[in-house]
Amino acid sequence: MQVVGLEIPRNGKVVTAREIGVVGCQRCTKVWPLGTKRCTRCGATIVSRDHKALQRVWAWWIVGLLCYIPANLYPMLQTRTLVSVQQDTIVGGVVTLINHGSYGIALVIFLASVMIPVGKFLAIAFLALAAQRGTTSPSSQRMGLYEIVEYIGRWSMIDVFVVAILSSLVQLNALAAVNPGPAALFFGLSVIFTMLSAQSFDARLIWDAERS
Amino acid sequence: MSTTPPLKDLIVCPNCDAIYHVAEPKFGERAVCQRCHTVLIAPRRRAGAQIIAVALAVFILVLAAAVTPFLSIEAGGARNSVSVLDAALIFSGGPLVLVSLGTVAMILFIPLLRVLLVIYVLFPVVADRPPAKHAAWAFSLSEALRPWSMAEIFAIGCAVALIKVADLAQIAFGPAFWMFCVLTVLVVVQDSFLCRWSVWKSLETAK
Ligand SMILES: [Zn+2]
Ligand SMILES: [Zn+2]
């Protein structure tokens, strides 16, 4: 696949829409005169820089964090066998898997349910603070971080699906049964809210924030 | 300020605000933002017809995968096999019912809805007819739903679940698991065929 260059209006240097007094639609990339409120091609609201977006980012971020706390305190799964009843929190479930020698799955769950959510909270907070206060870190690196957050955040949902699958599958009368715990709800909500937080972020602010 | 070219010949990168003169790439080429490397234009020959074909395949697979079992379990004579609908409906009663609604939405309803929206938008374009009513709205909705369509994550979830209870009982993949694997590939193919800029342009010029 060949990559073709787009022509840049001025000689050599990348120019932003704001610099030449126009504004681009973030949904369909159409260009409008500055001050246009709505893109008639796709119906999206147009803003040159959405600073209110940062408030939405923080609002979803806080709600997501508030849900992530009970998600770790309550049990995710309750496993009942002939000999025992066991309740596992997210971290407890990982420890159980390690004790059973399932290191690969322990790693998958640890990544999806602990590393990715925590990393995501930190990454979004860093990006939002950098946009608010300016930063010396290169824009391209922060853009890379934003793309990773957008791409990987949804995968945290895997633990909720595993709980749903196990609870429906392992229903073997007296022999064994798995039932979902309240943490499944809080964890799912936390993933949804952090996805909304990341989606609210205006990526263009990444490129404005770099101090020269 | 020097002369600005007509606005319709320009394109703005939604991720970094860089502005370019549109130099429309040939089929199979890609126009990439030089500042942030977002792919801005990537036209494909006969992309519309191919996307519709893939969308129909996705539609049938999702429906079939919903009702056939994806995992079955056997231990001490007791046997159980579950479909996605069973799995999604397990959180019945109490606030956990929200989890089942969310699960059904993300692995069945949203993928199905996106398929219908994409066909609705692209069919008139492919057939050289004027765009469907509210096509812009339908395409916007389909794009907004993209991150919430999670069939591929569910497929990996099945594999994780299988290994998790492997020492508790004998479990095996059912046909729906393989359908979800195919589905994962199809969704990726569909997204890589879709050039958003071309779709928006076709919706506009035909207006
Ligand atoms: Zn637009
Ligand atoms: Zn860009």
Side-chain angles (χ1 to χ4, degrees):
Chain A
M1 200 177 288
Q2 199 194 336
V3 176
V4 295
L6 291 152
E7 271 177 63
I8 300 170
R10 305 271 173 86
N11 37 1
K13 199 176 164 294
V14 170
V15 179
T16 66
R18 185 163 66 170
E19 279 163 9
I20 63 167
V22 295
V23 58
C25 172
Q26 280 202 289
R27 191 185 285 167
C28 74
T29 69
K30 194 175 168 64
V31 183
W32 296 95
L34 204 62
T36 308
K37 293 274 181 286
R38 182 169 290 272
C39 171
T40 53
R41 173 155 85 170
C42 71
T45 310
I46 305 179
V47 248
S48 181
R49 290 297 181 279
D50 196 352
H51 286 281
K52 276 209 195 101
L54 284 173
Q55 293 169 20
R56 285 198 295 276
V57 169
W58 283 116
W60 290 123
W61 189 90
I62 290 167
V63 187
L65 190 63
L66 288 179
C67 288
Y68 191 62
I69 297 165
N72 277 282
L73 297 179
Y74 286 110
M76 196 83 170
L77 269 183
Q78 187 204 58
T79 313
R80 185 178 52 75
T81 58
L82 284 176
V83 285
S84 67
V85 176
Q86 191 183 356
Q87 292 203 327
D88 275 328
T89 56
I90 291 171
V91 176
V94 173
V95 174
T96 309
L97 284 168
I98 292 173
N99 290 341
H100 284 158
S102 318
Y103 298 110
I105 292 304
L107 185 68
V108 170
I109 297 294
F110 185 71
L111 276 177
S113 306
V114 181
M115 291 292 283
I116 293 178
V118 171
K120 219 176 137 176
F121 284 121
L122 295 176
I124 296 173
F126 168 69
L127 289 171
L129 286 175
Q132 279 165 319
R133 307 201 171 150
T135 176
T136 50
S137 84
S139 303
S140 53
Q141 278 181 19
R142 277 178 292 129
M143 188 67 200
L145 183 65
Y146 179 65
E147 279 170 352
I148 292 172
V149 165
E150 280 259 85
Y151 179 77
I152 249 174
R154 11 190 332 269
W155 283 91
S156 294
M157 208 52 110
I158 198 168
D159 214 10
V160 177
F161 292 158
V162 169
V163 171
I165 292 166
L166 288 180
S167 331
S168 59
L169 183 68
V170 188
Q171 294 296 342
L172 301 167
N173 305 325
L175 209 60
V178 169
N179 288 306
L185 175 63
F186 288 114
F187 186 74
L189 287 175
S190 170
V191 175
I192 289 172
F193 292 141
T194 44
M195 280 176 69
L196 290 170
S197 172
Q199 284 174 16
S200 305
F201 189 70
D202 184 348
R204 295 173 300 190
L205 297 176
I206 289 176
W207 301 87
D208 296 338
E210 193 169 350
R211 288 201 197 108
S212 49
Chain B
M1 181 128 314
S2 61
T3 51
T4 309
L7 295 188
K8 69 171 176 47
D9 295 339
L10 297 177
I11 183 171
V12 172
C13 173
N15 284 330
C16 74
D17 209 36
I19 191 159
Y20 302 98
H21 220 138
V22 174
E24 202 167 331
K26 295 195 210 61
F27 288 123
E29 293 178 338
R30 300 192 301 167
V32 179
C33 175
Q34 300 183 7
R35 198 186 194 191
C36 74
H37 308 295
T38 301
V39 178
L40 296 175
I41 313 176
R44 288 182 62 94
R45 203 184 304 276
R46 296 176 47 73
Q50 287 167 350
I51 292 169
I52 290 176
V54 174
L56 285 172
V58 169
F59 189 81
I60 295 164
L61 271 177
V62 171
L63 283 186
V67 290
T68 48
F70 61 88
L71 279 177
S72 64
I73 187 169
E74 201 170 348
R79 209 186 132 75
N80 189 19
S81 61
V82 284
S83 68
V84 176
L85 277 181
D86 299 328
L89 296 174
I90 191 65
F91 300 91
S92 48
L96 286 178
V97 76
L98 290 174
V99 182
S100 44
L101 291 178
T103 306
V104 184
M106 287 185 282
I107 58 188
L108 296 180
F109 292 156
I110 292 179
L112 286 177
L113 181 60
R114 283 200 69 217
V115 163
L116 296 176
L117 290 170
V118 162
I119 293 177
Y120 179 78
V121 171
L122 289 184
F123 187 74
V125 173
V126 171
D128 270 330
R129 295 220 212 110
K133 244 185 168 182
H134 308 302
W137 178 84
F139 189 58
S140 300
L141 179 62
S142 158
E143 285 297 290
L145 288 175
R146 190 146 52 104
W148 305 100
S149 167
M150 298 191 176
E152 77 276 22
I153 300 175
F154 186 78
I156 308 290
C158 288
V160 171
L162 180 128
I163 303 172
K164 233 181 154 175
V165 287
D167 55 348
L168 192 73
Q170 274 218 300
I171 67 178
F173 290 128
F177 173 76
W178 305 110
M179 291 184 216
F180 270 112
C181 293
V182 177
L183 207 62
T184 306
V185 177
L186 288 183
V187 170
V188 172
V189 167
Q190 192 181 12
D191 272 337
S192 69
F193 280 3
L194 187 67
C195 171
R196 282 147 198 102
W197 185 82
S198 308
V199 174
W200 284 121
K201 199 176 131 212
S202 67
L203 292 183
E204 179 184 48
T205 46
K207 219 173 244 173

